[in-house]
Amino acid sequence: MGLIGFVIVYLTVSVCIGLLTARWVHTSKDFAIAGRHLPLPIVMATVFATWFGSEAIFGSSGTFAREGLRGVIADPFGAGLCLIIAGVFFSSKLYKLNVLTLGDYYRSRYGRTVEMLTTLCIVIAYLGWVSAQIKALGIIFSSLSGGALDQETGMILGAAVVLTYTTVGGMLSVAVLDFIQMTLILLGLMYIAWLVADMAGGADVVIGHAAAAGKLNFFPENAGMKEWLIFIAPGITMMLGSIPQQDVFQRITSANSAKTALTGSVFGGAFYILFCFVPIFIAYGATLIDPQFFGNLLEHDSEQIIPELVLGHMPLYAQILFFGAAISAIMSTSSATLLAPSVTFAENIVRGFMPRLTDRGFLQVMRVCTVLFTLLVLSFALMNQETSIYHMVESAYSVTLAGAFVPLIVGPFWRRATNQGAVFAIVMGVSAWLIVEHGYGEADIGSLTGLLFSSIGIVVGSLLPQWIPEGK
């Protein structure tokens, strides 16, 4: 049948599974959070799949091969710790709220104004994240076709496939496919890593070479305060800025109990950090197998290292396993990250203007929002093809760290936090981030500056006389 034939069959089966699962989607809760019925194995799988997409396979692996551990502090370390922290500190509290979105929490705690502002921050953040997945699908389909399909066409095809089953089946389809796709990811990437180790002379040779080249050095050497801030900023942005995100929230609240939510988040996050070193090992091993070719690729397009390795040095069955795993990883992340902002926008922006909407009508609104957001993301991805996948993901959550994180974490623990304080936090945090990153060009510390000013804003705004009434 060949590699392309396998991919066509795989995509067709995925869509069919998503469509079949949709038979159990009858309400908005079924669509948004799978009816809160998911058992522990599926919760762990879907938590792992939250982040394990294009940036883990292509972005982080290529960045490590070029920069070493210091270059991947955001992902996998920041991303995995985000899932663990969300599970330990927020899973029980958020699960007990029994709401559809994080925006619902902001509304109940602070009021409609904060709900809308934080929702906009969350939705904007997803543009970069989902665009990275769409770009990766374009890379894969272009590679598989030998260039017969250009990257733009591949991106459109990938977006259409993911949109089809996500729009129909919602979170239930996403969760079921995540479980199936994670199995393929584990089998496919572990097998490719085993082949790479054999071709490079052994796993110890690859690890030893990385250590000798300084790739395993994590902390900066002889660094001053600014260098340390630049080092930790990406990790903190990903770790904390990703917590107030709907896809993380959906996975927590889709569980069948608070205990399942906690356990699934912690184990899923820990496994994510560990397993991300498999594609990192594969990419670095490639530079030992053919130093000249992959060394040149490392300098010009590091995200192509693994696809080129598999297509140029692996037998057909290994190619099938790899591209099945890669497509699985990216589709699972894409579907969830398309669903999350669409549900959030529908619930926390649109629904406020349509208070008499029936649940069935609201279900259709969520589906329409999913289609519209997919078109927006696809347009954004097509216009930003020169931006690397890793940078798309790393920069995606600066806005949520600056605007949405502080009101979320302060709300349950400081009773004096007010609606006005939350508004101050959002406005001051986002403004500081924009000024530092886009006004002065200090992208490395822009998100931390936003976090600092957001923290000041919620304290000052809550303690000052209240000009903004509660609940507004």
Side-chain angles (χ1 to χ4, degrees), residues 131-150:
S131 295
Q133 314 312 314
I134 299 301
K135 179 182 177 182
L137 287 173
I139 290 174
I140 287 181
F141 292 144
S142 180
S143 297
L144 289 175
S145 67
L149 281 179
D150 57 30

Side-chain angles (χ1 to χ4, degrees), residues 224-372:
M225 179 63 72
K226 183 176 181 179
E227 287 74 19
W228 274 102
L229 288 175
I230 292 173
F231 170 69
I232 66 173
I236 291 178
T237 299
M238 191 73 177
M239 179 174 61
L240 302 183
S242 302
I243 290 176
Q245 285 295 344
Q246 179 64 18
D247 53 340
V248 176
F249 174 82
Q250 279 178 309
R251 280 152 170 75
I252 290 174
T253 54
S254 295
N256 56 18
S257 70
K259 182 179 179 181
T260 299
L262 170 60
T263 306
S265 298
V266 172
F267 280 91
F271 185 68
Y272 173 80
I273 294 175
L274 294 175
F275 195 77
C276 274
F277 283 94
V278 175
I280 284 175
F281 175 87
I282 294 171
Y284 194 80
T287 65
L288 304 186
I289 294 170
D290 190 342
Q292 183 175 356
F293 177 77
F294 289 109
N296 181 63
L297 198 61
L298 183 63
E299 296 299 322
H300 296 93
D301 193 359
S302 62
E303 292 167 358
Q304 291 283 0
I305 290 178
I306 295 182
E308 290 294 335
L309 169 71
V310 173
L311 289 172
H313 295 78
M314 300 285 175
L316 178 60
Y317 59 86
Q319 294 177 15
I320 290 174
L321 277 174
F322 168 75
F323 283 105
I327 292 172
S328 296
I330 297 166
M331 286 176 58
S332 64
T333 301
S334 300
S335 56
T337 50
L338 281 176
L339 181 66
S342 305
V343 168
T344 300
F345 188 82
E347 167 73 4
N348 302 114
I349 300 294
V350 177
R351 193 167 195 169
F353 297 101
M354 307 173 71
R356 298 183 180 179
L357 194 65
T358 64
D359 187 75
R360 186 176 183 82
F362 181 57
L363 177 59
Q364 299 309 314
V365 168
M366 287 194 289
R367 286 175 167 150
V368 170
C369 287
T370 304
V371 174
L372 294 177

